[in-house]
Amino acid sequence: MKKLVVLLVVFAMAVIAVQAQAQPAEPYRLAFITLPVYTAEETDIAVYNQWMQDEADAAGIGIGSGLGDGDTSWFVIGSTADISARDNTGTNPLVDGPGVPIYLTDMVTKVADDNIDLWDGDIDNIINTNAPGNVTPGHLWAYSGSNIDGTIRIPGTNSNAGGPLGTQGEVTQGNGGVTNQWCFRIWTSDPYTTSLPLYAMSEIIPEP
C-alpha cells in the first residue's frame, strides 16, 4: 500500500512538472486562428471579442483555465472603424510599451518577441493553431480589417484592399500562411458577408 501511495505521489509530481514545462516561464500572451468562420458584418468590436472569448473558454484557455491567475481574457486581432487591432489587444508599442512574448496555443512556437516585433511587418511564425493548440487545416486567410502594423484599414487606399471589420463592402484580410502578410494582403479582400476565420490574442498571462 505504501509503495502504491509513493508511486501515485511520484506520478502526480511528474504530471505537475510536465504541465509547468508546457507554459512559457515568463509573462506571455497566446494567439490562435479560429476554427469556426465568421462574417465581418458586425461594427462593434465587443461582438468579435466575445466570439474569441467563447472559443478560448471552450478550449480551456479562457475563463477558469488555470493559466496565470485562472481567468484569461481574449480579444480579436482586428480593427473596426472605431478601434485598431493593436489598441484592442493592448499591443500598441506607442501606448503599451514593448510588451511580452507572444506564442501560439501549442505553448512552444513564438509568434513575436514583443509588441514591436508583432507589428514591424514580419512575425516570427505564422498563426496556424486553433484554440486547443492543433494546427488548423485548410487556408489561413483571416479577416483583420487592419494594415500590417495593426492600424485601422482605411477603404480606398493602397490598391483598395478592403476596409475595417464592419465595412459595408470588402473587408481587409491577411494571408495567415505568410509571415509578412499575416494581417494584410494587399492584392485582395472579401465581401463582409463572406465567412472567414479571425485571429485571437490573450491578455498578458503572468508567469506560472
Side-chain angles (χ1 to χ4, degrees), residues 3-188:
K3 288 184 179 180
L4 177 60
V5 171
V6 171
L7 287 173
L8 288 173
V9 170
V10 170
F11 176 75
M13 292 177 66
V15 169
I16 291 171
V18 169
Q19 289 177 336
Q21 291 174 359
Q23 298 181 32
E26 58 185 341
Y28 62 99
R29 292 177 183 264
L30 295 174
F32 66 81
I33 187 169
T34 65
L35 189 57
V37 290
Y38 304 89
T39 68
E41 299 174 77
E42 298 291 340
T43 58
D44 186 354
I45 197 70
V47 174
Y48 298 99
N49 288 339
Q50 188 60 57
W51 290 344
M52 303 305 98
Q53 188 69 54
D54 290 345
E55 280 202 46
D57 291 350
I61 54 174
I63 303 302
S65 64
L67 294 175
D69 62 5
D71 289 323
T72 301
S73 297
W74 286 80
F75 311 91
V76 67
I77 309 177
S79 301
T80 64
D82 298 320
I83 187 170
S84 70
R86 62 186 190 177
D87 287 325
N88 184 56
T89 54
T91 55
N92 186 340
L94 301 178
V95 176
D96 305 298
V100 300
I102 301 157
Y103 294 87
L104 295 181
T105 45
D106 63 6
M107 304 285 184
V108 176
T109 307
K110 186 183 288 184
V111 174
D113 295 333
D114 51 28
N115 296 341
I116 297 171
D117 190 27
L118 179 66
W119 301 119
D120 68 0
D122 196 359
I123 57 178
D124 297 343
N125 288 284
I126 61 174
I127 301 175
N128 66 343
T129 58
N130 55 27
N134 303 314
V135 174
T136 301
H139 77 75
L140 301 174
W141 300 342
Y143 280 128
S144 72
S146 311
N147 295 305
I148 194 65
D149 63 356
T151 55
I152 300 169
R153 180 67 189 168
I154 305 302
T157 60
N158 199 4
S159 298
N160 194 31
L165 300 173
T167 298
Q168 300 296 298
E170 292 193 339
V171 174
T172 297
Q173 62 180 218
N175 180 1
V178 182
T179 58
N180 63 0
Q181 298 173 13
W182 72 279
C183 194
F184 175 62
R185 300 179 70 204
I186 192 170
W187 57 84
T188 189

